[in-house]
Amino acid sequence: EVQLSESGGGLVQPGGSLRLSCTASGFIFNTYAMTWVRQAPGKGLEWVSTLSGSGTTTYYGDSVKGRVTITRDNSKNMLYLQMNSLTAEDTAIYYCAKVREVAPMHPFDFWGQGTLVTVSS
Amino acid sequence: DIQMTHSPSTLSASVGDRVTITCRASQDIGSWLAWYQQKPGRAPKLLIHRASTLENGVPSRFSGSGSGTEFTLTISSLQPDDFATYYCQQYNSYWTFGQGTKVEIK
């Protein structure tokens, strides 16, 4: 059974940094691209970033480009999102999700429960 | 960037109704479209990929159609468990979600 579990969310001041983690199990982790999607309170879904299975190819959404870095540790089945220069507009639930197929450009078939990031002074 | 637009944004319906949600892409995305269902406080669930292919375990009352720039999600007979928000997503060029359609009880 595929399971994804995010951690690392919390309250951070504007301009601060935060590192989110996602623990994966139930599938061959290093085979699949992984992604982060966020959802601001009461709003829709926004794709944030995707990383290939090997960890060599990254994709970033325009709203976070230059401020976030996606990485993975395939030896630990872990996915990370380092977020810097945070603003109130980054306040959201951040979901970790698995890409449905081996190639990155596919939809997301399994999701974690999300971790809440709140940027406020 | 490819923009995705849902219509309507909100839909009021009753159990047993046939429901259709439309999603339009700002440019041709072929059949690279997915549909998700999200209930309050829950993560999204993938229902359909490649415009019309149901994920395993998704009830057959859900169907998807379309290609190019116009797509539809149809629920043939709305069930109580189907009241939720539905999102389309293009994955032809990176990933973009539509703003969602909330299906609420009439």
Side-chain angles (χ1 to χ4, degrees):
Chain A
E1 178 192 7
V2 173
Q3 292 191 340
L4 299 169
S5 181
E6 304 91 339
S7 60
L11 177 64
V12 59
Q13 292 191 337
S17 298
L18 208 57
R19 187 200 199 200
L20 306 183
S21 301
C22 172
T23 303
S25 63
F27 63 103
I28 303 173
F29 183 70
N30 63 11
T31 301
Y32 292 91
M34 295 292 293
T35 197
W36 290 96
V37 174
R38 69 184 182 182
Q39 187 168 35
K43 303 297 184 182
L45 303 170
E46 180 187 13
W47 168 70
V48 173
S49 182
T50 299
L51 179 61
S52 64
S54 63
T56 57
T57 305
T58 57
Y59 308 84
Y60 294 102
D62 288 341
S63 63
V64 301
K65 200 173 295 183
R67 299 189 300 118
V68 309
T69 303
I70 188 171
T71 57
R72 63 195 294 161
D73 185 338
N74 285 344
S75 69
K76 297 180 180 178
N77 284 11
M78 296 288 296
L79 177 73
Y80 304 101
L81 187 71
Q82 176 67 44
M83 302 189 295
N84 301 321
S85 303
L86 288 164
T87 72
E89 286 65 45
D90 297 311
T91 294
I93 296 171
Y94 284 73
Y95 293 102
C96 158
K98 170 186 167 291
V99 174
R100 189 182 185 280
E101 299 187 26
V102 172
M105 213 66 75
H106 285 282
F108 314 140
D109 59 349
F110 289 94
W111 298 61
Q113 82 288 352
T115 188
L116 177 62
V117 173
T118 303
V119 183
S120 175
S121 55
Chain B
D1 292 3
I2 300 175
Q3 309 301 318
M4 306 300 293
T5 304
H6 281 251
S7 63
S9 295
T10 305
L11 188 159
S12 298
S14 302
V15 172
D17 284 353
R18 181 182 181 87
V19 166
T20 299
I21 298 168
T22 298
C23 181
R24 290 185 173 86
S26 60
Q27 59 186 266
D28 190 338
I29 59 169
S31 295
W32 303 117
L33 184 106
W35 289 98
Y36 296 83
Q37 176 193 66
Q38 187 181 32
K39 297 179 180 179
R42 303 287 297 275
K45 173 186 175 183
L46 179 63
L47 297 177
I48 289 171
H49 69 279
R50 212 162 290 190
S52 60
T53 303
L54 256 62
E55 284 292 288
N56 289 339
V58 174
S60 58
R61 62 180 179 274
F62 290 91
S63 64
S65 65
S67 66
T69 62
E70 187 156 334
F71 302 84
T72 59
L73 172 70
T74 299
I75 308 172
S76 61
S77 177
L78 197 66
Q79 298 302 301
D81 191 49
D82 302 337
F83 291 97
T85 300
Y86 294 85
Y87 294 92
C88 66
Q89 177 203 40
Q90 70 82 20
Y91 51 100
N92 177 71
S93 175
Y94 301 95
W95 300 263
T96 313
F97 292 94
Q99 82 277 17
T101 293
K102 183 178 181 180
V103 177
E104 59 182 26
I105 300 172
K106 190 172 185 179

